Amino acid sequence: MKSVLTNEYLSDFSSNELKNAPNKLYYSGDLDLLKSQRKVSVVGSRKISHKGLKRAEIITKYLTNHNFTVVSGLAQGVDTIAHTTAINNGGKTIAVIGTSLEQFYPKNNQNLQLEIMNHHLCISQFSEGHPTQPKNFILRNRTMALISDATIIIEASEQSGTRHQGWEALRLGRKLFLLCRIFH
């Protein structure tokens, strides 16, 4: 079931956070995950190295074993590993996507998105029919940083959108952990 969340999710935000929050979030799943537990974004490269893959699994497993909700962007690479590792280890996950809820991007994550929508939480700031544009993913990264207590960057390229998430986390006063190697 898809629903719209307006101002009620904003109640605990500071004035700086409110300036950067989307006015509406569209969601499917367990909305209590936004308010409960501690939330940590696990993000990084779409083209992940073998070491990055192992790091993402270890970090995500540690977080779920310590009752953190894992937040990520449902992209290929680190995001997919973070979501699936959280689910496979009995944890909770929130997917913040850069498309509207009825779209599946990337297509090969359709089943994962449906699993998250039905048993975890999937949120978007984009209404049905909103065109998919590169800037959507930058806005998605801001929203991920906003709803998370911290961001962990596993691995990122010089041009990676993950860098936007890191800057947003810092700008919003969130903790940022870099476990990555920057590669060209």
Side-chain angles (χ1 to χ4, degrees):
M1 181 172 149
K2 299 171 189 165
S3 300
V4 180
L5 178 65
T6 51
N7 296 340
E8 62 265 23
Y9 90 99
L10 303 171
S11 62
D12 294 331
F13 287 164
S14 71
S15 59
N16 181 45
E17 293 167 332
L18 288 172
K19 285 189 286 189
N20 294 287
N23 293 327
K24 290 181 183 176
L25 286 178
Y26 302 87
Y27 72 93
S28 181
D30 182 1
L31 193 57
D32 289 338
L33 290 177
L34 269 183
K35 292 282 185 186
S36 66
Q37 298 189 44
R38 299 165 291 175
K39 296 174 289 301
V40 174
S41 287
V42 177
V43 296
S45 179
R46 286 180 169 90
K47 294 179 181 176
I48 189 170
S49 70
H50 181 71
K51 279 186 178 180
L53 184 146
K54 289 297 177 197
R55 275 191 220 122
E57 288 175 338
I58 290 166
I59 292 293
T60 303
K61 189 172 182 180
Y62 177 86
L63 292 170
T64 57
N65 288 342
H66 289 85
N67 297 319
F68 285 88
T69 297
V70 174
V71 180
S72 204
L74 204 63
Q76 289 182 279
V78 171
D79 294 8
T80 298
I81 292 163
H83 291 302
T84 55
T85 302
I87 291 167
N88 292 341
N89 286 282
K92 292 294 184 179
T93 191
I94 299 173
V96 182
I97 60 175
T99 64
S100 57
L101 289 174
E102 82 279 357
Q103 294 178 298
F104 301 101
Y105 183 83
K107 293 275 187 211
N108 58 338
N109 274 354
Q110 179 174 347
N111 289 337
L112 178 58
Q113 183 173 331
L114 291 171
E115 167 76 13
I116 292 168
M117 292 170 89
N118 289 321
H119 301 288
H120 300 271
L121 180 63
C122 185
I123 62 176
S124 172
Q125 60 200 79
F126 306 105
S127 62
E128 190 170 333
H130 190 282
T132 302
Q133 304 167 341
K135 69 179 182 178
N136 292 9
F137 298 93
I138 294 169
L139 295 171
R140 176 220 37 202
N141 290 346
R142 176 183 292 163
T143 301
M144 270 197 289
L146 180 72
I147 67 166
S148 299
D149 301 307
T151 292
I152 300 172
I153 297 177
I154 300 294
E155 183 174 270
S157 71
E158 191 67 37
Q159 303 303 317
S160 176
T162 301
R163 290 178 39 184
H164 294 288
Q165 172 119 8
W167 285 114
E168 289 296 335
L170 291 173
R171 197 167 60 76
L172 292 165
R174 304 297 194 266
K175 293 178 181 172
L176 176 64
F177 300 93
L178 304 174
L179 303 179
C180 62
R181 136 186 159 235
I182 302 294
F183 53 90
H184 302 279

